[in-house]
Amino acid sequence: MNSPRREVTVLTFSPGTRLLVTAGPATAGILLAVLVPFLARWLDGIGFPVLGVVWRVIAEVDTWWKIAVQAGIFALLGALASVEITRRLTRVTIAADEVLLETGDESVTVPRPVIDFVFMTGDRLIILDPDSRQMFHGEPRAEAAMLERAFTDHGYPWRDGDPFTDLYQPWVPESGELPVAVEAVLSARAVALRKKAGKESAELRASLEKLGYAVRDDGDRQHWRPLVRS
């Protein structure tokens, strides 16, 4: 956590986490490139019955230059994984009058007057407005304890969990409990969740809120509740 000025707190990777995120995947890739050929030769030698052809192919990586090429490829894949992890996670900047949330090339600024609840659900940071709509829903770079301390120090209404948990109900398609328009959006969003289409599912979440409903995910399962004013 870095606080360049007293009234602003920036929450991002700690030095240890930054090192793990930036160098960890590439280092793991290099170790795999070096160790897997030895494992493959051993498995091929004992006639391991599962994926035998695969082990024989990997065992052919038996000279220093082949290992070096493989290590370079694995290191590149690890570096790409690091970039994706960094891009996906959100840097949180907390000021007295607003919260800035930067995820990849996108940023969201939430003014303090419209923030009614702040809490974590699993690894997700949630910010709700007075009508219980989600002003932000994403995975921060900082740990929950750091977030709680920073938001609390700045006077924001931090909660230990979702204050509306008891209102959620599991979505049962075509149950007749919900308006047709809401059913249609939830159906489309179920497809987006199965396809891991994060941007599309987020847009459909916003569409549901315009119809007066909030949604929470449990894996591929959706739970809904009506929006309520706190």
Side-chain angles (χ1 to χ4, degrees), residues 5-230:
R5 300 196 309 272
R6 183 178 179 184
E7 69 273 16
V8 175
T9 301
V10 180
L11 293 147
T12 186
F13 296 125
S14 65
T17 302
R18 183 180 296 280
L19 179 63
L20 182 63
V21 169
T22 55
T27 302
I30 293 171
L31 290 174
L32 282 174
V34 173
L35 296 177
V36 167
F38 292 99
L39 175 63
R41 283 193 285 276
W42 178 72
L43 291 173
D44 186 45
I46 65 173
F48 192 68
V50 180
L51 301 176
V53 174
V54 173
W55 301 128
R56 284 193 292 275
V57 171
I58 298 176
E60 293 297 321
V61 182
D62 55 1
T63 61
W64 70 266
W65 69 268
K66 290 181 180 178
I67 293 176
V69 170
Q70 181 168 274
I73 294 172
F74 280 34
L76 177 60
L77 293 174
L80 292 174
S82 295
V83 170
E84 176 59 22
I85 292 170
T86 302
R87 186 196 66 79
R88 180 172 53 84
L89 302 182
T90 300
R91 187 172 91 151
V92 182
T93 302
I94 308 172
D97 58 346
E98 65 181 21
V99 176
L100 173 64
L101 305 125
E102 299 169 281
T103 311
D105 296 328
E106 299 180 356
S107 65
V108 175
T109 300
V110 186
R112 173 64 182 88
V114 303
I115 297 177
D116 206 44
F117 295 107
V118 185
F119 57 92
M120 292 287 291
T121 296
D123 57 2
R124 301 280 176 167
L125 174 67
I126 311 293
I127 299 177
L128 301 183
D129 73 1
D131 291 314
S132 73
R133 293 173 300 191
Q134 290 191 3
M135 307 303 292
F136 177 77
H137 176 278
E139 193 172 349
R141 295 179 184 179
E143 298 177 354
M146 295 174 64
L147 289 161
E148 179 180 0
R149 183 166 62 251
F151 275 104
T152 301
D153 287 348
H154 282 275
Y156 284 82
W158 181 271
R159 297 292 182 269
D160 292 332
D162 189 340
F164 302 107
T165 294
D166 294 341
L167 297 181
Y168 280 98
Q169 301 181 49
W171 175 56
V172 180
E174 300 179 0
S175 65
E177 296 179 277
L178 295 166
V180 173
V182 175
E183 282 282 352
V185 175
L186 286 169
S187 296
R189 195 168 181 277
V191 174
L193 289 175
R194 287 196 296 270
K195 292 162 56 176
K196 308 298 182 183
K199 185 175 182 179
E200 183 180 351
S201 63
E203 291 172 350
L204 291 168
R205 178 193 301 276
S207 297
L208 280 170
E209 290 186 341
K210 290 178 181 178
L211 294 170
Y213 291 84
V215 64
R216 183 180 68 188
D217 302 324
D218 181 11
D220 289 341
R221 293 205 49 167
Q222 301 181 93
H223 293 71
W224 61 271
R225 66 166 172 83
L227 294 181
V228 294
R229 186 163 183 83
S230 60

